[in-house]
Amino acid sequence: MPAVSKGDGMRGLAVFISDIRNKSKEAEIKRINKELANIRSKFKGDKALDGYSKKKYVCKLLFIFLLGHDIDFGHMEAVNLLSSNKYTEKQIGYLFISVLVNSNSELIRLINNAIKNDLSSRNPTFMCLALHCIANVGSREMAEAFASEIPRILVADTMDSVKQSAALCLLRLYKTSPDLVLMGEWTSRVVHLLNDQHMFQGVVTAAISLITCLSQKNPDEFKTCVSLAVSRLSRIVSSASTDLQDYTYYFVPAPWLSCKLLRLLQCYPPPEDGAVKGRLVECLETILNKAQEPPKSKKVQHSNAKNAILFEAISLIIHYDEPNLLVRACNQLGQFLQHRETNLRYLALESMCTLASSEFSHEAVKTHIETVINALKTERDVSVRQRAADLLYAMCDRSNAKQIVAEMLSYLETADYSIREEMVLKVAILAEKYAVDYSWYVDTILNLIRIAGDYVSEEVWYRVIQIVINRDDVQGYAAKTVFEALQAPACHENMVKVGGYILGEFGNLIAGDPRSPLVQFNLLHSKFHLCSVPTRALLLSAYIKFINLFPETKVTIQEVLRCDSQIRNSDVELQQRAVEYLKLSSIASTDVLATVLEEMPPFPERESSILAKLKKKKGPGAVSVTELDDSKREGGELNGGGERAADTAAMAASNASTPSPSADLLGIRSSAPMGAAPAAAGSLLVDVFSEAGPAAPAAAVNNDGFLFVCKNNGVLFENQLLQIGIKSEYRQNLRMYLFYGNKTSVQFASFSTTVSCPGELTPQLNVQSKPVEPLVEGGAQIQQVLNIECLSDFSDAPLLNIKFYGGALQNLTLKLPVTINKFFQPTEMTSQDFFQRWKQLSLLGLGSALLDNVDPNPENYVCAGVIQTKGQQVGCLLRLEPNAQAQMYRLTLRCSKESVSKRLCELLSQQF
Amino acid sequence: MRFLLLFSRQGKLRLQKWYTPLTEREKKKIIRDMTTMVLARQPRSCNFLHWKDLKIIYKRYASLYFCLGVESQENELLALEVIHRYVELLDKYFGNVCELDIIFNFEKAYFILDEFLMGGEVQETSKQTINRCIENSDMLQETMEEYMSKPAF
């Protein structure tokens, strides 16, 4: 039996619910199925159900649905309840509709009808039910039906409760279908709801949500609300705690209304009118002062309500960016940082993050650094620690970077796994942004790899290498440090990558006694077998660089390259590197070697990809604009000035022997790193690797297409990157096969092709094609089929546009060899027929089937064919009369359409 | 406000209210995420969480968790008091409300909520006004005797 049942309880429902409670899942399902069968039979039965039963069954269905079971009937009965005169039945009907909205259009019409009746009933309770239903469903259909009606109800002389519902209902419709809610005379009347001195607070509370939302989109239309809101707020703030009677919540006057007013003001700049501004500042100061007063109640509700207003006021202060108030706000938040309420500590950390980005409060926020660090170390709740880490990141600048980075690093050792990657990115960004001393930067990143190697993304280690390459004052230090780091018996693979790269470039700078070339090499090679293929490839490149740096290591390294596990490695990339490097080291003179394996030139200055990654991770808005500007400015310094930005293309070409790491560092991740084929691939590398390199070749390669008039297969286009083969055949329509071959070993991304029929061609040809796969692996070929239908005769050729990303964006436009003669259907005919038709066709002619024994002169060639277009068939006859002595031909064409013979003549004359 | 969920310590959903249109699938996903996330929280942790682009505000009353999902610009503390005010309204109506009241009178729990919130916004904050509304609608209903005379199936 039910524990409690009040008001209009439904006994049968209560019994059903208690039946189900505490049952096993199977028993529950069994009981529910039984009940569903029962309800179905009641609904289908001959006997008309009374209102109460209908209500009870609809309510049972609702209960079953809310338990998580599907309901596929009963909607109609619920809709019937809407038109009941009994309040409780109507109410259940509306509840069912709100919870189980069905987009069934027929029902929506019925529901809208019922709502319309209730809205015009003048019975406030019914009107409220209807408005609630509209707000709950909030669909486009509902907006279409009622968006114009509701503003009228809102400003009409109705009961307050109806006004409240109408305001929020309209807000809901505006959010889903702003285009349907038209501004008008009612808007000014809504704004003036704020004005009325004696207005029931509840109406204002509801209306202000609507006004806030509308004024975000139409600020000018609602401008007058600012002064009204200020005076309303001022009245509340200065009222005694009991003045507002029931709108006082735990001794706090109207907290909801206050917060909504403060939120509304955040839609506008500070008021221009001095008096209004003065009054508002006074309000904000009062709110800040009240925070210092002793609480009027020990209940948490009191402090929550009071502080809710305070935090909202601080948001407004941040919005106005007013120095005095900002500093006061910051001090207030500083107190909260040590509050015993976890919620307040959390919110204070969060709010301070925003304060840290204002120039007026940045310094004030910084004074709390010790407290925040302490929070990071001691807070029990991970979400609070996370906020502390965010705040440290936000308050970091040159003056405290070392301390903050050190604290974040030590926190990383125990940080929750869920936030490690983000922490790593933040540390890497701060270290780079505020590095004055690059040895500190290198230490930090290496520590990062040591502590949280698994969470160090590629962007982070690419970046440290870019910076070391670009700054010669840190290269020796970096080499020494990685050498030491690699001494650890177990070090992270990312460390091996950085170590391999840096020693390969700068090992010579530290090749003193304990770090002799061979020791360096052996150290690197001791990690080799533990590493993945890409790292091994990188190490092989480091080895060949060693041969150049230290000729004395040549024999040892050649031995390593020569052993089966390298030169016969099953991985093609490794094998190729081993073979080529071995060959290079044995045939090239020292001079050649030195040129090919020269030290990497500086990387061009570019925005840190780490920052981009963090932004992506946190979503838009997580990294404030000021931060970005900042990092750009400081990033420039770090890269050693933009002047040195070497031409990427030149670099890629001169360093062809270590292309893979350089390619990686440029941020173009190629799945199969380019094999080293230094000389031959030189020019190709420029195209593939340089983002800033020369413009992509051949924006409009023009081939006039005469080549394919009499040929169906062949190579349409070829450059260093791409080859396009073509094959066509005619079967009612022209079917053309295009073969796109990737000539490089690098994947082409975003590969796409479009065929267009420019100008007059559009109504003449119909080209259908299927999209191609967007990725073309290195060395692979993909195929595309075009189906071309000739609608009427034509002379232009369709264009094929190809775009893809292979190092740089490539954009090609080619003419497709689609000519009118491709649509020939050969025709057999006798001599008599031929000459009969020849005479009929007074103009030129061309035939496609070569006919023997037609022309009396056996030297002559004659052809006949029909060009099949959708619109008409064009018959063509051709006569070719060679004159061997004069070495000339006479070509005569006769067609049933003049334009066709003209075009055919052009096409064919090019062939001789 | 995007949604309000009430669930028990065992993760049983007792009430769900959605203020933006979602498919049943999306709703189920949110319910699952919320129950696992909130139930896993240590006692005396803070009442706020970040989830996707939303703020989650939750509070436990006896065996029931109240969980609100709000947009990121909303005021967390005020959202906590929205929950509290709703609990007060339930309490006032049922008299020492407990989980069973909400199970057996789920429709009333919805009606009370609708008087307080609409379309995800606070409609009326006065306890007196809301209670008056609810009592008025109960006046349109019947007595206990009438109730007991009804069929029990």
Side-chain angles (χ1 to χ4, degrees), chain A residues 514-528:
Chain A
R515 299 179 293 247
S516 73
L518 264 169
V519 171
Q520 287 187 34
F521 170 74
N522 287 332
L523 179 62
L524 278 181
H525 198 53
S526 68
K527 315 284 181 195
F528 188 90

Side-chain angles (χ1 to χ4, degrees), chain A residues 12 29 83-84 96 108 198 219 221 273 318 442 574 607 624 839:
Chain A
I29 290 172
S83 31
S84 163
F96 184 94
I108 285 284
H198 310 288
E221 192 134 358
D273 181 333
I318 293 172
V442 170
L574 293 182
E607 196 198 329
S624 68
K839 280 167 196 150

Side-chain angles (χ1 to χ4, degrees), chain A residues 4 6 8 56 87-88 132 164-165 209 246-247 249-250 263 301 304 308 312 343 346 350 381, chain B residues 41 46-47 50 73 75-76 81 84 88 93 101 114 121 123-124 126-128 137 141-142 153:
Chain A
V4 183
K6 265 195 83 166
D8 188 35
K56 180 182 67 188
Y87 175 72
T88 57
H132 263 105
Q164 280 168 288
S165 301
S209 298
D246 207 31
Y247 289 90
Y249 181 82
Y250 291 86
R263 172 74 50 78
Q301 284 75 26
N304 279 352
E312 207 59 62
N343 286 344
Y346 175 98
E350 193 177 56
D381 182 348
Chain B
R41 299 276 293 166
C46 79
N47 297 86
H50 278 227
Q73 76 277 8
N75 192 313
E76 291 96 335
E81 295 320 298
H84 187 74
E88 283 183 347
Y93 181 78
D101 293 320
D114 275 351
E121 295 284 335
Q123 172 175 235
E124 176 56 69
S126 159
K127 210 155 55 166
Q128 281 172 20
S137 59
Q141 299 167 357
E142 71 265 47
F153 47 86

Side-chain angles (χ1 to χ4, degrees), chain A residues 188-217:
Chain A
S188 60
R189 296 182 62 182
V190 170
V191 174
H192 280 278
L193 287 177
L194 293 178
N195 192 18
D196 198 332
Q197 295 276 340
H198 310 288
M199 175 61 78
F200 189 46
Q201 301 278 346
V203 177
V204 192
T205 311
I208 198 165
S209 298
L210 175 66
I211 295 169
T212 306
C213 181
L214 292 174
S215 53
Q216 279 164 353
K217 301 270 170 59

